[in-house]
Amino acid sequence: IAQEVNGDILGAEFEGYILRISGGNDKQGFPMLQGVLSDDRVRLLLSKGSKCYRQRRTGERKRKSVRGCIVNQDLSVLNLVVAKRGANDIPGLTDSTKDLRLGPKRANKIRQLWGMDQADDVTKGVVRRTITTKGGKTYTKAPKVQRLVTPQRLQRKRHAVALKRQRAAKNKVETAAYLTLLAQRKREAKEAREALLAKRRSSHASSNNSKK
């Protein structure tokens, strides 16, 4: 998988083409898995995020059979991608161009697609598609532009920053008040302790004088 081969091996009509191997299936239908350096079928313990496996329950793992990423004679289907076109067009493959059905949604990718500047209106570069209902009504449909910087978005950001500053100032004031109160409580406790010790000393001295 991912290796590029010459298209001449498929016939004269593929002369000059460079094809990239993108996958395949063996005779029993098991798919090839990139990273498995083997030409045989192996059983792997697959989890969420793995290719050739879809998780049904949270935390589930399953041992499934997959084919290695090395091509051999046991494959019945081999998927190829045209990496470089040749001199001649292939009917049904490279002789026609298809319109872009779904365009990008992110603002920066729309600018990159059409070569727009930051000052240009991104909403005008959205790829719209025409839809016809069963009743014959026709209308256009377009995606919502993501990460679009609008005055409302800037206002919300300024509001969030202002709230953050208010919380920081409030915490600073409350911390200073708490430290002041804590120092006052410690001072009052110290004074009460000193008063109690003085009272005990005076009572002890008076008792000694009475005995004499």
Side-chain angles (χ1 to χ4, degrees):
I1 296 180
Q3 185 177 357
E4 295 183 353
V5 296
N6 292 324
D8 302 341
I9 58 177
L10 299 179
E13 64 271 16
F14 289 93
E15 184 178 358
Y17 279 79
I18 301 296
L19 306 175
R20 185 176 69 251
I21 302 174
S22 61
N25 298 78
D26 61 4
K27 297 177 182 178
Q28 286 74 33
F30 292 99
M32 299 174 68
L33 182 61
Q34 177 68 292
V36 181
L37 300 179
S38 173
D39 58 353
D40 292 330
R41 191 188 306 164
V42 296
R43 289 178 59 83
L44 300 178
L45 187 62
L46 304 177
S47 59
K48 181 180 179 180
S50 302
K51 297 295 181 68
C52 309
Y53 172 69
R54 181 171 65 87
Q55 188 185 57
R56 265 69 171 184
R57 300 179 64 182
T58 303
E60 181 187 46
R61 296 189 300 170
K62 198 168 186 179
R63 192 172 297 277
K64 297 182 71 68
S65 295
V66 295
R67 173 68 60 173
C69 65
I70 300 176
V71 178
N72 67 351
Q73 71 278 3
D74 294 331
L75 297 179
S76 62
V77 177
L78 190 64
N79 303 327
L80 302 173
V81 177
V82 177
K84 181 182 177 182
R85 296 179 60 174
N88 301 324
D89 288 334
I90 301 173
L93 182 62
T94 60
D95 59 344
S96 62
T97 58
K98 294 183 179 180
D99 294 334
L100 188 65
R101 179 178 175 270
L102 297 178
K105 295 178 64 176
R106 191 178 300 176
N108 285 337
K109 291 191 176 181
I110 295 175
R111 293 189 184 99
Q112 183 180 4
L113 177 64
W114 303 110
M116 293 182 173
D117 297 330
Q118 291 292 333
D120 296 335
D121 188 7
V122 183
T123 56
K124 295 181 180 178
V126 177
V127 177
R128 307 185 68 91
R129 54 194 177 99
T130 304
I131 297 177
T132 305
T133 61
K134 294 181 179 179
K137 184 179 179 181
T138 303
Y139 65 96
T140 59
K141 192 173 184 180
K144 181 182 178 182
V145 180
Q146 304 294 321
R147 301 188 185 181
L148 183 63
V149 180
T150 60
Q152 185 182 27
R153 178 71 186 94
L154 296 176
Q155 172 61 28
R156 288 176 178 173
K157 189 173 183 179
R158 288 193 298 267
H159 181 62
V161 173
L163 289 179
K164 187 175 181 181
R165 289 176 180 171
Q166 291 176 6
R167 286 195 299 268
K170 181 182 177 182
N171 291 338
K172 187 176 180 180
V173 172
E174 291 180 352
T175 302
Y178 171 74
L179 294 177
T180 303
L181 181 62
L182 186 63
Q184 181 182 354
R185 292 287 188 270
K186 288 183 178 181
R187 186 169 60 253
E188 291 175 355
K190 184 178 180 181
E191 292 174 355
R193 177 68 177 170
E194 290 177 354
L196 179 61
L197 292 176
K199 185 177 180 181
R200 287 180 181 177
R201 291 194 196 98
S202 61
S203 61
H204 186 66
S206 61
S207 62
N208 289 338
N209 292 334
S210 62
K211 289 180 181 180
K212 291 179 180 179

